[in-house]
Amino acid sequence: MRQPILYISLLVVLVVSGCSFIAKANENDSKQSDETEPMYDIDMKTELVEHNEYHITIHYPQTTNNQLNQTIVDYVNQQKAGFKQASYQNKQSVEASESHELHVDFEMLYQDHRFFVVRFIETMDVGGNEVIQNQTVMNFDKKDGRRLELDELLNNDPEVLDELAALTEEALKEEVSTRYSLPLHVNKGTFEDVALTKEGVRVYLQAEDGTLGYVLVELEEGQDLIRKEFVEALESASDVSELSSSEQKQDREGPVEAVSTDDLGVETGEKRAALTFDDGPHPTWTVDILDLLEKYDAKGSFFMIGKRVSYYPETARMVAEQGHEIGNHTWDHPRLARLNPEEVDEQILAAQDVIKQAAGVETAGLRLPFGEEPPMAYKGDWNTVPWTLYSEEWSEQEPEEIAEEITSQAEDGSVILLHELESRTPEVVELVLEQLTSQGFQFVKVSDLQT
């Protein structure tokens, strides 16, 4: 009798162990399904291209999600290709000397642990009387990094667009009287750009004159139109991140060892030059430049794009704390010639405000994008800062070639222009500092040359 009892006991143990294993597996699966995606720190990328024929300025976000990033990069490349084609075709048909422009900016509309929503504003000037302005809204599901199309956001119902249109029209009647001076219209293209947020669905519209705007269909009113899974995710979202940039952690490894001028065989003299840097700040390359300036006991002048300061305030603060000069390079680097005086004011004042907030300093001067002159229509008080020395072919040259072109032409009072968003710039800076310091140059803030 002992043998059957032994078998039965062994069977019970196996059954209990199996049930326990299944329960734990189910528990683990449940935990995994309940896990939420992390909030993304946003890295702001900026592409600047300057040719005689055209100017391109593009700002866009990047995250730790590779698939999401690639979708945005593909979009950026499409915008550039479309612009270049339109610019080329226009120049073939119309003889014009003015440079064309593509300007793409973005705003983060929403982020929680499930969704990432961004809007791009595209401005294209290829000659003629009209500047073309459009927008593109992208909703991403962070579970897989995919961009969600409209039919994936809404319920599979043939009447869902009609119902959304009715709610949009109703919301629009309230908004037009308070927010928009020109009528926005709901038409067949209305729902190409909608944004899913915790408050509801933002429907982006365009007035007849090209003015962009949006109305909000609140979640409570529109929840029957949105897929149930997404409504539940939005309702459960808590502590939605503020969509400003996260502060950058930039730990210095230790003190920078200063270069002794005695070791360089420095010539005696009173020659002074100013190193100026446009388009920053950059969380890595700006810090590298600062280390080199400290190493050679040099000062620099940094003309910063306001929007980049808003994403990297710690970098801007570091520049100011080390005694360097910060100048204004507008909010997001457009060609000011195509803007009206109020828009020019906004570009300059917004950059001044964010620089003061981040770095605690008033901007010392203004440098305009693409080296333009102040627009004739603008009546403000300008303190524009030009340059005298610049490597025209810098985008196609090696660091040694750029440095050689600069150092061979440098003279007392030179204002040298370099670009902060180029990975080669720190290497150029080191070569220029080493060679010109040995020739007796002192590097000062550009305002010190003007006094």
Side-chain angles (χ1 to χ4, degrees):
M1 290 293 294
R2 294 181 62 185
Q3 192 171 6
I5 293 174
L6 181 61
Y7 288 152
I8 291 171
S9 300
L10 181 59
L11 180 61
V12 169
V13 170
L14 290 173
V15 170
V16 171
S17 299
C19 290
S20 175
F21 175 80
I22 292 171
K24 287 183 178 180
N26 289 335
E27 182 181 355
N28 289 337
D29 289 343
S30 175
K31 285 181 179 179
Q32 289 177 1
S33 64
D34 291 340
E35 286 179 358
T36 55
E37 296 296 316
M39 300 297 285
Y40 295 150
D41 286 334
I42 300 167
D43 188 17
M44 177 180 170
K45 299 295 185 182
T46 297
E47 292 188 18
L48 299 172
V49 180
E50 181 177 0
H51 289 301
N52 292 331
E53 295 80 12
Y54 59 79
H55 298 150
I56 296 176
T57 300
I58 301 180
H59 307 290
Y60 60 96
Q62 293 282 265
T63 70
T64 54
N65 187 307
N66 291 333
Q67 182 166 341
L68 186 159
N69 292 346
Q70 189 59 53
T71 300
I72 291 177
V73 169
D74 290 344
Y75 154 83
V76 168
N77 290 334
Q78 289 168 4
Q79 291 297 314
K80 290 188 290 188
F83 164 72
K84 290 178 181 179
Q85 182 178 15
S87 175
Y88 176 79
Q89 290 175 346
N90 182 278
K91 286 187 179 294
Q92 298 305 304
S93 58
V94 179
E95 186 174 342
S97 58
E98 260 192 36
S99 297
H100 294 167
E101 180 191 20
L102 172 66
H103 187 277
V104 179
D105 199 3
F106 75 94
E107 62 171 328
M108 286 304 310
L109 298 180
Y110 183 74
Q111 182 184 184
D112 62 22
H113 293 289
R114 178 68 185 274
F115 302 107
F116 184 92
V117 186
V118 58
R119 171 179 175 245
F120 295 94
I121 305 95
E122 307 118 12
T123 304
M124 187 166 69
D125 181 359
V126 290
N129 298 324
E130 290 188 9
V131 174
I132 303 167
Q133 190 168 55
N134 289 304
Q135 58 191 344
T136 302
V137 176
M138 296 184 184
N139 301 269
F140 289 96
D141 189 342
K142 294 167 72 172
K143 287 177 65 176
D144 53 16
R146 277 192 322 111
R147 180 182 178 184
L148 296 167
E149 301 298 339
L150 182 63
D151 59 354
E152 297 176 278
L153 294 173
L154 302 179
N155 287 325
N156 186 18
D157 184 335
E159 297 182 357
V160 70
L161 282 181
D162 292 334
E163 294 176 22
L164 181 57
L167 290 173
T168 302
E169 288 276 16
E170 184 178 340
L172 186 58
K173 291 176 184 177
E174 300 176 6
E175 292 285 1
V176 166
S177 60
T178 57
R179 183 185 297 190
Y180 305 116
S181 58
L182 291 169
L184 303 173
H185 301 290
V186 178
N187 54 45
K188 63 181 181 180
T190 292
F191 304 111
E192 290 181 1
D193 295 297
V194 301
L196 197 61
T197 74
K198 189 173 177 63
E199 289 72 34
V201 177
R202 282 190 183 188
V203 181
Y204 281 86
L205 306 168
Q206 193 162 11
E208 291 177 350
D209 71 338
T211 302
L212 304 177
Y214 75 88
V215 294
L216 176 68
V217 176
E218 294 183 359
L219 187 60
E220 185 177 350
E221 296 177 345
Q223 62 181 344
D224 292 337
L225 309 180
I226 306 169
R227 290 188 184 273
K228 183 179 179 181
E229 174 192 357
F230 295 157
V231 173
E232 291 174 349
L234 289 169
E235 289 177 339
S236 65
S238 60
D239 300 326
V240 177
S241 70
E242 294 295 327
L243 294 177
S244 58
S245 64
S246 59
E247 290 193 349
Q248 304 299 308
K249 296 180 179 179
Q250 299 167 329
D251 297 325
R252 305 286 288 276
E253 295 182 356
V256 177
E257 183 179 351
V259 172
S260 168
T261 54
D262 293 336
D263 295 337
L264 293 173
V266 174
E267 298 176 9
T268 58
E270 296 291 332
K271 291 181 289 187
R272 299 193 305 170
L275 281 173
T276 67
F277 304 92
D278 283 7
D279 307 330
H282 188 280
T284 301
W285 301 327
T286 301
V287 177
D288 292 342
I289 292 168
L290 291 176
D291 286 344
L292 290 165
L293 293 174
E294 183 178 357
K295 180 178 178 181
Y296 285 86
D297 192 23
K299 295 300 178 188
S301 299
F302 295 76
F303 292 88
M304 296 185 177
I305 296 173
K307 182 154 189 165
R308 291 196 62 84
V309 174
S310 73
Y311 273 79
Y312 306 109
E314 284 295 320
T315 312
R317 189 175 306 126
M318 187 182 297
V319 171
E321 288 175 348
Q322 294 190 23
H324 304 288
E325 188 169 53
I326 297 180
N328 189 324
H329 202 39
T330 71
W331 174 253
D332 59 10
H333 205 274
R335 282 188 63 201
L336 297 187
R338 66 170 169 79
L339 305 182
N340 62 44
E342 291 75 21
E343 291 170 326
V344 174
D345 264 340
E346 186 177 354
Q347 282 284 331
I348 296 167
L349 295 176
Q352 285 179 340
D353 288 345
V354 75
I355 290 170
K356 185 172 182 180
Q357 181 180 359
V361 296
E362 299 282 354
T363 50
L366 174 69
R367 180 169 282 168
L368 302 187
F370 308 113
E372 290 185 324
E373 293 296 321
M376 294 297 294
Y378 185 70
K379 306 301 181 185
D381 182 21
W382 294 82
N383 178 25
T384 54
V385 180
W387 61 84
T388 64
L389 200 51
Y390 169 53
S391 179
E392 295 288 347
E393 304 297 326
W394 63 269
S395 61
E396 301 169 4
Q397 293 176 313
E398 293 299 319
E400 295 81 5
E401 296 174 296
I402 299 172
E404 171 61 27
E405 186 169 343
I406 290 171
T407 55
S408 64
Q409 301 178 64
E411 58 186 12
D412 185 30
S414 288
V415 178
I416 300 166
L417 168 62
L418 294 169
H419 294 86
E420 212 167 331
L421 299 185
E422 287 293 317
S423 60
R424 296 166 297 168
T425 297
E427 186 175 350
V428 174
V429 170
E430 183 161 28
L431 292 168
V432 169
L433 285 171
E434 180 180 0
Q435 293 176 36
L436 292 185
T437 299
S438 68
Q439 296 176 27
F441 277 88
Q442 179 186 6
F443 289 92
V444 300
K445 296 180 285 188
V446 71
S447 60
D448 291 336
L449 288 179
Q450 300 172 332
T451 56

